[in-house]
Amino acid sequence: MVYLNTELGTNSYVNSSLKTSGTSMTNNNKTDSSSFQSALDGASDSDTSTIDPNIVEINKETDPDERSADLKLYQNLKRSGVNFSIQSFDDVKQGLVTFPPVSAPGKIRNAISNILDAEENQGANIGGQLLFNFQNFIGNTNSDLNSLDTYKEFGSYMSNSLDVLLKNGDISQSDYNVGQNITKQLQNLTL
């Protein structure tokens, strides 16, 4: 997931698998299912001194896809240094501009995160391009953020944008190749 934290007064991009703003980020999204289950199970531990109230809130989500996507986002935000003793997860989440957006259904968020986390998509300096192009795409269309077709259409939009960036010399060939791989996967997105 690529996100811009506007609420906390920073304009830094955070993406666990793609380079953004010229800075290589580590892949913090790679979390196996046992880690997810362990975090969720830990929220209901009998030792209340170690209960993370944000995990408790996330665990209340009845949709497993929403719960999984929120847990992944929460873990990435914590690893990125967000101090949840100042604000709740929900407060921080409301101030994020993300791709995919945090308001998208969990199934869509998880599917796109899987694309971005795929090994062949690692290391590209296009996180900011994905984020800004998505914001432009949404701003210029009446797209439904809950519709799978929106993200497929964005894949085509982003592919065209990458072509222009390469033609103008604003993106390296290797970043272009990874970007096109991501956009093809978005265009073929299924749940």
Side-chain angles (χ1 to χ4, degrees):
M1 176 173 280
V2 179
Y3 58 90
L4 174 63
N5 188 344
T6 57
E7 178 114 341
L8 299 178
T10 65
N11 286 327
S12 60
Y13 303 105
V14 179
N15 182 324
S16 63
S17 59
L18 304 174
K19 290 182 188 175
T20 56
S21 299
T23 304
S24 176
M25 304 295 287
T26 58
N27 188 352
N28 294 328
N29 264 355
K30 296 255 180 189
T31 307
D32 63 34
S33 59
S34 64
S35 296
F36 278 129
Q37 192 56 52
S38 142
L40 291 173
D41 292 344
S44 60
D45 235 356
S46 60
D47 178 9
T48 58
S49 65
T50 60
I51 292 177
D52 183 331
N54 293 298
I55 298 288
V56 171
E57 269 315 298
I58 292 168
N59 200 24
K60 288 179 183 177
E61 175 58 56
T62 57
D63 180 336
D65 293 309
E66 291 292 327
R67 186 172 47 245
S68 171
D70 278 352
L71 183 59
K72 186 182 276 189
L73 174 61
Y74 176 70
Q75 290 173 335
N76 283 330
L77 289 168
K78 273 187 82 166
R79 285 186 193 112
S80 299
V82 174
N83 184 349
F84 286 103
S85 65
I86 298 170
Q87 290 181 305
S88 72
F89 172 67
D90 285 335
D91 289 342
V92 171
K93 189 173 149 180
Q94 289 177 13
L96 295 176
V97 177
T98 66
F99 177 74
V102 294
S103 60
K107 284 185 181 211
I108 291 174
R109 291 167 52 203
N110 285 330
I112 292 173
S113 289
N114 290 339
I115 291 170
L116 298 177
D117 291 344
E119 190 166 328
E120 67 269 15
N121 296 333
Q122 301 292 313
N125 191 22
I126 63 163
Q129 290 297 330
L130 283 168
L131 182 65
F132 288 117
N133 276 288
F134 187 72
Q135 294 304 310
N136 287 335
F137 173 75
I138 294 302
N140 293 324
T141 64
N142 288 329
S143 298
D144 177 6
L145 296 179
N146 294 322
S147 168
L148 186 62
D149 289 338
T150 295
Y151 301 93
K152 289 180 174 189
E153 291 168 17
F154 171 67
S156 296
Y157 178 91
M158 184 67 193
S159 178
N160 294 334
S161 177
L162 288 168
D163 290 342
V164 171
L165 289 169
L166 183 65
K167 181 180 176 186
N168 293 338
D170 295 329
I171 191 170
S172 72
Q173 184 68 50
S174 63
D175 288 346
Y176 172 84
N177 293 343
V178 171
Q180 287 295 359
N181 187 47
I182 290 170
T183 62
K184 284 179 186 147
Q185 291 175 7
L186 286 173
Q187 291 169 24
N188 296 316
L189 191 62
T190 59
L191 300 179

